Amino acid sequence: MPTYRTSGSDRPDRVSVAVYAADPVLRVGVVQQLRQRPEIDLLDDADVERAQASLVVVDRVDDDVAALLHRLRHNTETRAGLVVGTLGSGALQRVIECGVSAVLRRAEADQDRLLHLVLAIANGEGVLPGDLLGTLLSHVGSLQRSALDPRGLSLSTLTTREADMLRLVSEGLDTSEIARKTAYSERTVKNVLHEIITRLQLRNRAHAVGYALRNGLI
């Protein structure tokens, strides 16, 4: 994925930025916005490893995007941020697991918000849309409750991801449709649903949905 650099001399107070985007339209839009800001030093391909902030610009989070975010996480010179079209709760968890704490929806990515995102990334600060922050806090709270009261866990307990997938099964979606909705791979969807069926000792997906509905799990 190509990256870009502004003209002019480097200055110590400028934040060096690498922009990653497979879609040229998305890439050009973000680059043109940032190019106008004197606070930003856009890097070319040869210099991306030294970027203070790496912006990944995508429509949705898929396996390729997750792999890129994982790779950036291992570069100690940079911190990654995400500019994304759509991001569901499952994809949010996946992004957080990749070490990303700065997210901006593409529809809101004007010049000022992009600059705020880049500066926050460079300073090690977190940025999330309000609704996603609420989702994240709920997830963290659930993890804390599980840690404090492990006896509350049982074989019949569903994780948020499991419940979301079973809910989509109950709506008639197949594996590929669930994968698109949740931003997980089809293999992951199959594995999650298989784990539910095996753990609860059920026969198939329909049986799992019926069980979950009867027990108020979805």
Side-chain angles (χ1 to χ4, degrees):
M1 299 182 184
T3 54
Y4 293 82
R5 183 189 185 91
T6 51
S7 59
S9 59
D10 292 340
R11 299 184 319 191
D13 58 342
R14 299 174 78 188
V15 177
S16 56
V17 179
V19 178
Y20 297 81
D23 186 324
V25 175
L26 299 184
R27 179 170 58 246
V28 168
V30 171
V31 167
Q32 286 182 341
Q33 296 275 31
L34 293 178
R35 194 190 301 279
Q36 303 172 45
R37 301 303 302 227
E39 304 94 332
I40 302 298
D41 176 29
L42 285 163
L43 302 179
D44 59 22
D45 289 338
D47 295 325
V48 293
E49 295 299 321
R50 71 173 181 85
Q52 293 169 269
S54 295
L55 280 187
V56 178
V57 187
V58 294
D59 279 320
R60 54 190 286 272
V61 176
D62 56 19
D63 290 344
D64 290 337
V65 173
L68 172 60
L69 293 173
H70 274 296
R71 180 169 65 81
L72 291 172
R73 184 178 189 178
H74 292 301
N75 177 3
T76 57
E77 299 298 320
T78 193
R79 295 188 178 96
L82 184 69
V83 181
V84 64
T86 58
L87 188 70
S89 58
L92 174 62
Q93 180 179 341
R94 196 175 189 187
V95 165
I96 297 299
E97 289 170 355
C98 292
V100 175
S101 59
V103 177
L104 179 65
R105 284 202 174 90
R106 210 176 65 238
E108 301 171 349
D110 58 21
Q111 188 178 127
D112 289 337
R113 288 191 177 94
L114 280 171
L115 178 63
H116 175 70
L117 185 72
V118 168
L119 296 179
I121 294 169
N123 290 327
E125 299 170 358
V127 177
L128 287 175
D131 61 314
L132 293 183
L133 180 59
T135 299
L136 178 61
L137 290 174
S138 296
H139 177 65
V140 171
S142 176
L143 292 177
Q144 289 176 332
R145 287 191 296 273
S146 296
L148 291 172
D149 186 16
R151 292 171 300 176
L153 297 176
S154 68
L155 290 176
S156 62
T157 298
L158 296 180
T159 66
T160 300
R161 180 170 68 171
E162 290 172 339
D164 287 343
M165 289 189 185
L166 269 188
R167 197 172 293 111
L168 292 173
V169 172
S170 74
E171 294 172 4
L173 276 65
D174 61 21
T175 298
S176 61
E177 292 169 326
I178 294 172
R180 286 195 295 273
K181 280 272 191 181
T182 59
Y184 286 102
S185 67
E186 291 187 28
R187 176 181 295 180
T188 298
V189 172
K190 290 177 181 177
N191 288 343
V192 169
L193 293 174
H194 178 73
E195 163 63 22
I196 296 170
I197 292 168
T198 301
R199 189 175 73 241
L200 301 182
Q201 299 180 354
L202 304 172
R203 293 188 300 274
N204 49 41
R205 294 185 182 187
H207 192 192
V209 168
Y211 178 92
L213 288 171
R214 285 194 304 274
N215 289 277
L217 299 176
I218 61 173

